[in-house]
Amino acid sequence: MSQALAIGQESSAVHAAFEPRSIAVVGASEDMGKFGGRILHYLLHHRFAGQIFPVNATRDQVCGLDAYASLDDLPSTPDLVVICVPQRHVHGVVESAGRLGVGVAVVVSNGFADAGDEGRQQEQVLVALAQRHGLRLVGPNCMGFVSAATGVIVCSSNILAIDSVPTGGVGFISQSGAVLMALMDCGFRQGIGFSHCVTLGNQADLELCDFVEYLLEDDATQVICTYVEGLKDAERFQRLARRAAAQNKPWIMLKSGRTAAGAEAAYSHTASLAGSYQAFETVCRENGIILVEDVESLLCLAAILEKFPGQRLDRVALSSTSGGSLALCADRLSDEGIKLAELSSETLDKLHEHYPASVSNPVDIGVATQGALGRVARPTAEILLSDPGVDIFLPVLSTAPDVHALTQWYIEGAEAAGDKPYLVVLQPAALADSTRLELRRRGIAFVDSFDALARALRAWKQTMAAPRKPADCERPAGLPAPGTIAAPSGAMDETQAKTLLDRYGIRTNLGVTCTTPEQAGEAAANMQFPVVVKIVSPDIVHKSDMGGVALNLDSVEAVEQAARDMAARITAADSSLRLEGFSVQEQATGKMELVLGVNTDEQFGPMIVFGAGGTLVEILSDVAVASAPVARATARALLERLRIYKVLAGARGNAPLDIDAVAEQIERLSWLAEDFKDSLQELDINPLLVDDEGRGAVAVDARALFKK
Amino acid sequence: MSQALAIGQESSAVHAAFEPRSIAVVGASEDMGKFGGRILHYLLHHRFAGQIFPVNATRDQVCGLDAYASLDDLPSTPDLVVICVPQRHVHGVVESAGRLGVGVAVVVSNGFADAGDEGRQQEQVLVALAQRHGLRLVGPNCMGFVSAATGVIVCSSNILAIDSVPTGGVGFISQSGAVLMALMDCGFRQGIGFSHCVTLGNQADLELCDFVEYLLEDDATQVICTYVEGLKDAERFQRLARRAAAQNKPWIMLKSGRTAAGAEAAYSHTASLAGSYQAFETVCRENGIILVEDVESLLCLAAILEKFPGQRLDRVALSSTSGGSLALCADRLSDEGIKLAELSSETLDKLHEHYPASVSNPVDIGVATQGALGRVARPTAEILLSDPGVDIFLPVLSTAPDVHALTQWYIEGAEAAGDKPYLVVLQPAALADSTRLELRRRGIAFVDSFDALARALRAWKQTMAAPRKPADCERPAGLPAPGTIAAPSGAMDETQAKTLLDRYGIRTNLGVTCTTPEQAGEAAANMQFPVVVKIVSPDIVHKSDMGGVALNLDSVEAVEQAARDMAARITAADSSLRLEGFSVQEQATGKMELVLGVNTDEQFGPMIVFGAGGTLVEILSDVAVASAPVARATARALLERLRIYKVLAGARGNAPLDIDAVAEQIERLSWLAEDFKDSLQELDINPLLVDDEGRGAVAVDARALFKK
């Protein structure tokens, strides 16, 4: 629906929601047990600067404000209507709001798509009604929004029972109200300031991307955070991700339904099909969205990026009064692939001036400086951060007698070094609470957990190190023009699949298909021995499991015998299998088996999957995934990230294998997938046999499945 | 030192420390900036029931108590002396205390082994002095101890500025004072109650194991937690671990120096060499110690085990008002290998009575039960926990309007199900603080982080699933009696190593060593072709890297030629290499390459390492480790945990390989390692070539290094 509208309209609808001059709360109440009670209460509590119209048919006043029986009775048309009435009354209220010319309504009421098929129909009717009047909807089944930047707090959550909502650079859009509210509450404690936070509910009209687009345009927002169960518009999502990357505005994503257990829980929640997490992860990585797996690392990373957007974070310097804490922290960082920075000799010399013995990173300021922490903490921080090899300074505050003063000294030093990232790490609980209060007051980022810290930095590093998808992938020469090959239908056997691959310039050992063992022998006589015989049957997928592959055949007689044996064996095992004949192929030579394939994701289109093949498939999952089309350089960069890359590159004195040929096959296959993206469901090349450098790679077996 | 004393004395020394009737604080002060000030202050603040003697040469009174100029001036001999004076005065105080017949002293003062070589000597003198008088020491360089169970708080940390220390079942011994204090402070907030917590300092006399032994005997302690950088007595440590397992008293271990970065930080902290973490991890696993990697999961697991020791924790049931929170939690649990319990049909039927639609695990009580949470939360908890397939119930409290009441309902239901584990999971921050307060008051376990929860359960599960070391490993028949083979010295070449392996019944393809290519040809003439020729040189470790291995030789001529070529090639590459000849071997047949070896750890003795060999070594680390000797059944169980086990067992229609033969070789090698544990440093069989089931496994190459 929203897709049909011109670009920019969504964003202006969000503007209307976040910057109303007047708000009507339909279903306003004094009962804090009701949505309409809490929303009105927090709107007043957080001093909404405009006019508030409580709408309640049975009361003259609500919370000291004049109440109105219906929207039609209001003295003027409100900019925003919040609807908290039972489901059966929602249509009527939306109709009234639409007629009055209200721009946007927040529908808190539930019982729509969240409540089965009938509710889903009701929701469609609701959206149609709103569209007829040009009224935009947030929700239904949402908890409203907290626009701290504009001072508009339209939200039913009791986390708002605080003096004021801390404002800052973090915008947060969430498909779950409860998850967002829990995260905001934790964020408040960690000193994170928010710009605009929105609970999406069922996203009947305005959806995730509408709000992300607003945050991209919003100067108050430094970091975008999202909690997502499933996407409504995968293409727009990717466009916005690229725009965020171009604007250098970090976007941190928490996705649930990553695992089977999580996906099931998410589905029963909002009936959002989680989709393939592999595809989701791939497009996030390709477009620079930072994926995190837990709430603590999301908040930690948001805290850092809010203060220090766009800076490197992977080479860390640590200091503490506790050697034990430093050891534990260094261990957790190492676990997650985060390295302690190597200090320059200049830095080491400068540090040495302040310490009786030599020190290095991490810097234990306790041992060598009995009672003189104040004298060393400040220069230690400044010297460490001034080293160009240090990206971020992490003072670890343990239970030193004066945690508070020590924190202050470290901060002074860090700030003296200029605008480089630092993050205070507070290990104790109550002992550091007054320090937390002070850091919050001063807007200084801190974290309480080594684990959250390590995971946050890993998430950042992984995203930054991943190859991005180039804006334009050039179509390689020699491919058939798109559309020149008619889209096939149904399953393709090996010969058909290899014929198609061959058209796209992917080398195969395409064989000759024969009906009888004797024909197979004749075909082999025209080939270079040794040859391979494979059974041809529409019913057999894993040929070798059924004894349907014979290798190393070096004479016509051997070929005939193998074909006869194979047919007899398979028929004996299951006489219902249809045997159509035999494929005779020259035996491909190579040093390593890879797999290369296409999985077409319903939302994100064709994904090219490639990696370790053969026995390794049983041992580990070592595959890379890229969305089609894949540039050759990207394919190569992804190959370099595989564990088997060491072997491809020539481990232990072996010759390197033909990595360029593999990258080229990946590129070509990705264009095939792109050309047939509306019909191709999956395609597997298994194995792709890679030979020494310069000797190529050949698709030894292949199959494909197209939509019927 | 402590090893020389009779068993039980250490434990009585710890009793004396934790249960004194009178305490002298030498260096007592009113200045909270000083150790002696804080220790006296917290001793008074936490109302030590016995007599306190401040010792201070310059004051008549300290903190309202009569002060004494020296220990000799006290009216009676104190049971415990706490020493907080500068390092240069410590010897004198210890001498006095010893002379007076004091049983135990806590030396807070630092500047001993923590301060270089001179300090280390001072520490030795100090211990000798104390030993002469039968005085036992805690420390030096420690922060004292908190014996909450006996009400004796002898500790300098400001985390003690609280009304009272929560007592409970968690005993904690730590090699770092700051780490322990930070953990206790966090533990207080999480409602964990402590029995005895000790900071070890330099462990000059009383060490980790002395206190662990006390905790094993202590009825107040339900769970033992330890923070360790390096061990003093590895054998006693293992004995105590076995005793803890036999007593069913869980022991949770946080070890720093697991990674290179952490080990370096730990070393510069207490000069404890971290040792090989692989060996440490192995003996912990073999003896049932639960290893954790971060403080949050340690505290979470301690909280669960304190309330529910000895119960299964791996099949979880979840419930919440927030579907999003359930999805996130299920994802994190899955990441760490923790499964959602499958509910019985009886359980599902019972649940269905309370819900309009059918529900399953995780149970989202929000969607289906608008406004009737009280009615369903209680039976939901009770029904879930009553399912025998559910080990632990995890109510996830998000930002429901009344978190507090909902928590209460869940708890009532969980407790109605009997004494099965449950843990309250609190997602919000401030919104849940009053709930936290109440849970602490009532002694109910809770956690704030999905991440800590998932890691805690994983640590528990991993330990419980690991094969334990049997109390007795039977020596297999046919081995040479220990001591019958003289311990070799220095490096062993392939032939020597294979000869030794052969004596232990480990199959090798022991070859014939020849000096010239012609002799090699003659030797081959007496063998089954194909054969292999390998260079013999004391200077070449990786023969194949140097072109020193020729395979598939099928004639005398081919052997002679290969030997000549190899010698010429190697000499051309580096003429300084000493070539002693050629080894000619029948070519071993097999389907898969493994590695099998011995690494003798300085602390824990010989470790048997085995796993994936060949190219896989470049791709992944897939090895198991066991301390020698290894029972055959244990070897087999460990093989089953390897990733390559699928291939060993016959993946994708391939025949299974000879796993029994591999297990037997592991067992035999482990006894070889045990017999030579005082001299063998390392031994490598690479590859061990495994053939089909019933066809054995053969050591194709081997080398060893003994102490000179």
Side-chain angles (χ1 to χ4, degrees):
Chain A
M1 287 146 277
S2 59
Q3 273 174 275
L5 297 165
I7 287 173
Q9 285 204 17
E10 292 82 3
S11 175
S12 76
V14 179
H15 271 286
F18 290 167
E19 295 161 29
R21 284 151 304 169
S22 55
I23 301 176
V25 179
V26 185
S29 162
E30 287 185 358
D31 180 354
M32 287 288 281
K34 294 184 172 164
F35 282 105
R38 294 196 297 278
I39 285 186
L40 182 62
H41 177 80
Y42 293 124
L43 200 51
L44 289 164
H45 177 76
H46 292 288
R47 299 181 199 81
F48 171 61
Q51 262 193 300
I52 303 175
F53 304 120
V55 176
N56 181 321
T58 64
R59 313 262 314 239
D60 288 341
Q61 284 217 321
V62 181
C63 295
L65 298 173
D66 286 339
Y68 302 86
S70 75
L71 286 178
D72 295 315
D73 299 320
L74 300 187
S76 63
T77 299
D79 288 343
L80 175 70
V81 171
V82 186
I83 305 175
C84 311
V85 295
Q87 195 262 9
R88 64 187 181 279
H89 299 308
V90 173
H91 286 85
V93 177
V94 162
E95 174 68 41
S96 300
R99 245 190 301 106
L100 289 171
V102 172
V104 60
V106 176
V107 186
V108 173
S109 321
N110 55 20
F112 291 92
D114 50 290
D117 288 338
E118 203 191 321
R120 211 177 326 269
Q121 282 169 17
Q122 294 288 320
E123 186 168 300
Q124 284 165 1
V125 173
L126 189 73
V127 172
L129 196 61
Q131 278 192 315
R132 198 152 60 232
H133 294 289
L135 171 65
R136 304 306 303 265
L137 303 178
V138 181
N141 185 31
C142 75
M143 289 170 72
F145 61 81
V146 176
S147 179
T150 58
V152 181
I153 313 293
V154 179
C155 181
S156 65
S157 175
N158 287 334
I159 68 156
L160 296 164
I162 51 175
D163 288 346
S164 67
V165 177
T167 57
V170 177
F172 205 129
I173 317 295
S174 172
Q175 215 175 328
S176 159
V179 167
L180 176 58
M181 295 306 141
L183 272 159
M184 285 180 72
D185 199 23
C186 294
F188 296 163
R189 179 158 286 170
Q190 286 173 48
I192 294 174
F194 294 93
S195 57
H196 312 275
C197 299
V198 183
T199 71
L200 294 167
N202 297 356
Q203 307 185 74
D205 177 18
L206 291 169
E207 58 112 356
L208 179 83
C209 290
D210 297 312
F211 293 97
V212 169
E213 190 168 339
Y214 176 90
L215 295 183
L216 282 171
E217 288 163 4
D218 177 46
D219 290 336
T221 303
Q222 302 300 323
V223 188
I224 298 171
C225 297
T226 48
Y227 167 77
V228 162
E229 296 178 1
L231 293 175
K232 288 195 75 173
D233 186 342
E235 279 211 28
R236 187 171 169 212
F237 170 76
Q238 291 175 83
R239 274 202 310 279
L240 291 176
R242 284 192 288 274
R243 190 168 147 195
Q247 285 181 226
N248 220 356
K249 199 175 261 198
W251 180 349
I252 310 174
M253 169 71 73
L254 178 63
K255 168 80 164 66
S256 74
R258 295 181 292 107
T259 68
E264 207 170 308
Y267 180 71
S268 64
H269 178 213
T270 49
S272 292
L273 274 175
S276 145
Y277 185 62
Q278 196 183 48
F280 185 88
E281 188 180 30
T282 300
V283 302
C284 285
R285 173 173 37 75
E286 288 180 340
N287 295 300
I289 292 180
I290 303 167
L291 273 166
V292 293
E293 280 137 27
D294 64 297
V295 294
E296 289 88 356
S297 59
L298 178 141
L299 289 172
C300 177
L301 190 56
I304 303 171
L305 293 175
E306 186 195 3
K307 314 294 177 201
F308 304 99
Q311 300 207 45
R312 273 188 75 158
L313 302 174
D314 51 330
R315 294 168 306 173
V316 306
L318 297 173
S319 179
S320 179
T321 53
S322 162
S325 302
L326 288 173
L328 284 171
C329 190
D331 273 337
R332 276 302 288 133
L333 290 168
S334 284
D335 285 341
E336 302 293 335
I338 302 301
K339 290 207 170 70
L340 298 193
E342 274 194 45
L343 304 180
S344 70
S345 60
E346 199 187 335
T347 300
L348 291 172
D349 289 346
K350 280 197 228 156
L351 282 173
H352 194 31
E353 287 173 25
H354 298 273
Y355 289 85
S358 72
V359 290
S360 63
N361 183 21
V363 182
D364 184 342
I365 69 169
V367 175
T369 58
Q370 312 297 342
L373 300 181
R375 193 172 49 72
V376 296
R378 198 185 180 289
T380 298
E382 184 175 357
I383 293 166
L384 286 171
L385 258 189
S386 300
D387 189 317
V390 171
D391 297 324
I392 181 167
F393 172 57
L394 302 168
V396 176
L397 281 306
S398 184
T399 53
D402 196 347
V403 178
H404 203 72
L406 182 58
T407 308
Q408 176 56 26
W409 294 323
Y410 273 132
I411 291 170
E412 281 173 17
E415 304 215 317
D419 188 34
K420 279 185 79 172
Y422 69 95
L423 179 74
V424 178
V425 186
L426 294 166
Q427 246 201 319
L431 187 70
D433 274 347
S434 64
T435 305
R436 286 184 184 90
L437 209 63
E438 167 79 2
L439 295 177
R440 274 202 293 274
R441 201 184 55 72
R442 293 174 54 193
I444 289 167
F446 65 93
V447 68
D448 299 342
S449 153
F450 296 160
D451 190 54
L453 167 67
R455 293 165 69 88
L457 295 181
R458 195 232 320 141
W460 180 89
K461 185 177 174 181
Q462 273 185 342
T463 304
M464 295 309 136
R468 297 288 168 89
K469 192 171 179 89
D472 284 307
C473 285
E474 209 179 324
R475 190 177 178 91
L479 300 187
T484 49
I485 303 174
S489 163
M492 268 190 171
D493 67 16
E494 181 180 342
T495 308
Q496 294 166 321
K498 282 183 173 174
T499 307
L500 179 62
L501 292 172
D502 189 62
R503 294 285 299 272
Y504 275 80
I506 295 165
R507 198 175 133 202
T508 71
N509 62 342
L510 185 57
V512 178
T513 302
C514 313
T515 319
T516 66
E518 293 69 30
Q519 283 178 8
E522 279 168 40
N526 294 320
M527 295 181 183
Q528 282 257 300
F529 288 105
V531 300
V532 180
V533 172
K534 295 181 184 174
I535 200 75
V536 177
S537 163
D539 301 327
I540 302 177
V541 173
H542 295 297
K543 300 183 191 77
S544 58
D545 290 2
M546 295 288 297
V549 178
L551 302 170
N552 292 315
L553 306 173
D554 51 12
S555 68
V556 169
E557 296 70 39
V559 167
E560 288 180 1
Q561 188 63 43
R564 258 192 298 274
D565 290 352
M566 163 182 308
R569 188 165 49 237
I570 293 170
T571 306
D574 182 351
S575 61
S576 73
L577 298 172
R578 290 168 291 170
L579 306 187
E580 298 183 345
F582 309 92
S583 171
V584 185
Q585 305 159 3
E586 288 182 8
Q587 188 161 322
T589 61
K591 297 290 166 63
M592 189 172 191
E593 291 183 351
L594 300 185
V595 291
L596 169 55
V598 183
N599 278 322
T600 300
D601 185 82
E602 268 187 50
Q603 288 198 303
F604 297 105
M607 296 286 141
I608 313 303
V609 183
F610 49 98
T615 313
L616 284 176
V617 171
E618 307 294 328
I619 296 172
L620 80 165
S621 170
D622 185 32
V623 293
V625 187
S627 68
V630 185
R632 203 175 301 187
T634 307
R636 199 167 166 123
L638 289 170
L639 285 168
E640 284 171 16
R641 293 156 60 91
L642 292 175
R643 285 168 174 243
I644 51 163
Y645 183 73
K646 278 187 189 171
V647 179
L648 285 172
R652 272 265 177 122
N654 290 317
L657 305 185
D658 203 334
I659 299 167
D660 285 335
V662 177
E664 187 186 337
Q665 309 268 40
I666 293 166
E667 182 189 36
R668 288 175 175 276
L669 182 67
S670 79
W671 284 98
L672 184 158
E674 182 70 9
D675 290 349
F676 292 97
K677 68 178 165 191
D678 295 328
S679 58
L680 178 62
Q681 291 183 288
E682 47 181 286
L683 187 155
D684 281 316
I685 299 174
N686 183 8
L688 178 77
L689 196 59
V690 192
D691 211 337
D692 290 338
E693 201 165 48
R695 297 172 58 91
V698 56
V700 176
D701 197 356
R703 62 196 180 91
L705 184 65
F706 288 81
K707 284 187 195 151
K708 287 201 177 165
Chain B
M1 288 148 276
S2 59
Q3 274 174 276
L5 297 166
I7 287 173
Q9 285 204 19
E10 292 83 2
S11 175
S12 76
V14 178
H15 271 286
F18 289 169
E19 296 160 33
R21 284 153 305 171
S22 55
I23 301 176
V25 179
V26 185
S29 163
E30 287 185 359
D31 180 353
M32 289 287 282
K34 295 185 172 164
F35 282 107
R38 294 196 296 278
I39 284 186
L40 183 62
H41 177 81
Y42 292 125
L43 200 53
L44 289 164
H45 177 76
H46 291 288
R47 300 181 198 82
F48 170 60
Q51 262 192 302
I52 303 174
F53 303 120
V55 176
N56 182 318
T58 64
R59 313 260 315 236
D60 289 339
Q61 285 218 321
V62 181
C63 294
L65 297 172
D66 285 340
Y68 301 87
S70 76
L71 286 177
D72 296 316
D73 299 320
L74 300 189
S76 62
T77 300
D79 289 343
L80 176 69
V81 170
V82 186
I83 304 174
C84 310
V85 294
Q87 196 261 9
R88 66 187 181 279
H89 299 308
V90 173
H91 287 85
V93 177
V94 161
E95 173 69 38
S96 300
R99 246 191 301 107
L100 287 171
V102 172
V104 60
V106 175
V107 187
V108 173
S109 321
N110 54 20
F112 292 92
D114 50 289
D117 289 337
E118 203 190 324
R120 210 177 327 270
Q121 281 168 17
Q122 294 287 320
E123 188 168 299
Q124 284 166 1
V125 172
L126 188 73
V127 172
L129 197 61
Q131 276 191 319
R132 200 153 59 231
H133 294 289
L135 172 65
R136 304 305 304 265
L137 303 178
V138 182
N141 186 31
C142 75
M143 289 170 71
F145 61 82
V146 176
S147 178
T150 59
V152 181
I153 313 296
V154 179
C155 181
S156 65
S157 173
N158 287 334
I159 67 156
L160 296 164
I162 51 175
D163 289 345
S164 67
V165 178
T167 57
V170 177
F172 206 129
I173 317 295
S174 172
Q175 215 174 327
S176 158
V179 166
L180 176 58
M181 295 306 140
L183 271 159
M184 284 180 72
D185 198 24
C186 294
F188 296 162
R189 180 159 285 171
Q190 286 174 48
I192 293 175
F194 294 94
S195 56
H196 311 275
C197 299
V198 182
T199 70
L200 294 168
N202 297 357
Q203 309 185 73
D205 177 18
L206 291 169
E207 59 113 354
L208 179 83
C209 290
D210 297 313
F211 293 97
V212 169
E213 190 168 337
Y214 176 90
L215 295 183
L216 281 171
E217 288 163 4
D218 178 46
D219 289 336
T221 303
Q222 302 300 322
V223 189
I224 298 170
C225 297
T226 49
Y227 167 76
V228 163
E229 295 176 1
L231 292 176
K232 287 196 74 173
D233 186 342
E235 278 211 27
R236 187 171 169 211
F237 171 76
Q238 290 176 83
R239 274 202 310 280
L240 291 175
R242 284 192 288 274
R243 190 168 147 195
Q247 285 181 224
N248 221 355
K249 198 174 262 197
W251 181 348
I252 310 173
M253 169 70 74
L254 179 63
K255 168 79 164 68
S256 73
R258 294 181 293 108
T259 66
E264 206 171 310
Y267 181 71
S268 64
H269 178 213
T270 49
S272 292
L273 274 174
S276 145
Y277 185 62
Q278 196 182 47
F280 186 88
E281 187 180 31
T282 299
V283 302
C284 285
R285 173 173 38 74
E286 289 181 337
N287 296 301
I289 292 179
I290 304 167
L291 274 166
V292 293
E293 280 138 25
D294 63 297
V295 294
E296 289 88 357
S297 60
L298 179 141
L299 289 172
C300 177
L301 190 55
I304 302 172
L305 293 175
E306 186 196 3
K307 313 294 178 202
F308 305 100
Q311 300 206 46
R312 274 189 75 157
L313 302 173
D314 51 330
R315 295 168 306 173
V316 306
L318 297 173
S319 180
S320 178
T321 53
S322 162
S325 302
L326 287 174
L328 285 171
C329 190
D331 273 337
R332 276 302 287 133
L333 289 168
S334 286
D335 285 342
E336 301 294 335
I338 302 301
K339 289 206 171 69
L340 298 192
E342 275 194 45
L343 303 180
S344 70
S345 60
E346 199 187 335
T347 300
L348 291 172
D349 288 346
K350 280 196 228 159
L351 282 173
H352 194 32
E353 287 174 25
H354 300 273
Y355 290 85
S358 71
V359 289
S360 62
N361 183 21
V363 181
D364 184 343
I365 70 169
V367 175
T369 58
Q370 313 295 343
L373 299 182
R375 194 172 49 70
V376 297
R378 197 184 181 291
T380 297
E382 184 175 355
I383 294 166
L384 286 171
L385 258 190
S386 301
D387 190 317
V390 171
D391 297 324
I392 181 168
F393 172 57
L394 302 168
V396 177
L397 281 306
S398 183
T399 53
D402 195 347
V403 178
H404 203 72
L406 182 58
T407 307
Q408 176 57 26
W409 295 323
Y410 274 132
I411 290 170
E412 282 172 15
E415 303 215 317
D419 189 34
K420 280 185 79 174
Y422 70 95
L423 178 76
V424 178
V425 187
L426 295 167
Q427 246 200 318
L431 187 69
D433 275 347
S434 64
T435 305
R436 285 184 184 90
L437 209 62
E438 167 79 1
L439 295 177
R440 275 203 292 274
R441 201 184 55 72
R442 293 173 52 192
I444 290 167
F446 65 92
V447 68
D448 298 343
S449 152
F450 297 160
D451 191 53
L453 167 66
R455 294 165 68 88
L457 296 182
R458 192 221 336 131
W460 180 89
K461 186 177 174 180
Q462 273 184 342
T463 303
M464 296 308 137
R468 298 287 168 90
K469 191 172 181 86
D472 284 309
C473 284
E474 210 180 323
R475 191 177 176 92
L479 299 187
T484 50
I485 303 174
S489 164
M492 269 189 171
D493 67 15
E494 180 180 344
T495 307
Q496 293 166 319
K498 281 184 173 174
T499 306
L500 180 61
L501 292 173
D502 189 62
R503 293 287 298 273
Y504 274 80
I506 295 165
R507 201 175 131 201
T508 70
N509 62 342
L510 184 57
V512 177
T513 302
C514 312
T515 319
T516 66
E518 292 70 29
Q519 283 177 7
E522 279 167 41
N526 296 320
M527 294 181 184
Q528 282 257 300
F529 287 104
V531 300
V532 180
V533 172
K534 295 182 185 174
I535 199 78
V536 177
S537 163
D539 301 325
I540 302 177
V541 173
H542 295 297
K543 301 182 192 76
S544 58
D545 290 2
M546 295 289 297
V549 178
L551 300 170
N552 293 316
L553 306 173
D554 51 12
S555 68
V556 169
E557 296 69 39
V559 167
E560 289 180 0
Q561 188 63 43
R564 260 192 297 274
D565 289 354
M566 159 181 314
R569 188 165 50 235
I570 293 170
T571 305
D574 183 350
S575 61
S576 72
L577 298 173
R578 289 168 293 169
L579 305 187
E580 299 182 344
F582 309 92
S583 170
V584 186
Q585 304 158 1
E586 290 182 7
Q587 188 161 323
T589 61
K591 298 290 167 61
M592 188 171 191
E593 291 183 351
L594 300 185
V595 290
L596 169 55
V598 182
N599 278 322
T600 300
D601 185 82
E602 267 186 51
Q603 288 199 301
F604 297 105
M607 295 287 141
I608 313 303
V609 183
F610 49 97
T615 313
L616 284 175
V617 172
E618 307 294 328
I619 296 172
L620 80 165
S621 170
D622 185 31
V623 292
V625 187
S627 68
V630 185
R632 202 175 302 185
T634 306
R636 202 172 162 119
L638 289 170
L639 285 167
E640 283 171 17
R641 293 155 60 91
L642 292 175
R643 285 167 174 243
I644 51 162
Y645 183 74
K646 277 187 191 171
V647 179
L648 285 173
R652 272 265 178 119
N654 290 317
L657 304 185
D658 203 335
I659 299 167
D660 284 334
V662 176
E664 187 186 335
Q665 310 267 43
I666 293 167
E667 183 189 35
R668 288 175 175 276
L669 182 67
S670 79
W671 283 98
L672 185 159
E674 181 70 9
D675 290 348
F676 293 95
K677 68 178 166 192
D678 295 328
S679 58
L680 178 61
Q681 290 183 288
E682 47 181 287
L683 187 154
D684 281 317
I685 299 174
N686 184 7
L688 177 78
L689 196 59
V690 192
D691 210 335
D692 290 338
E693 200 165 50
R695 297 173 59 91
V698 57
V700 177
D701 198 357
R703 61 193 182 93
L705 185 65
F706 288 81
K707 284 186 195 151
K708 288 205 176 159

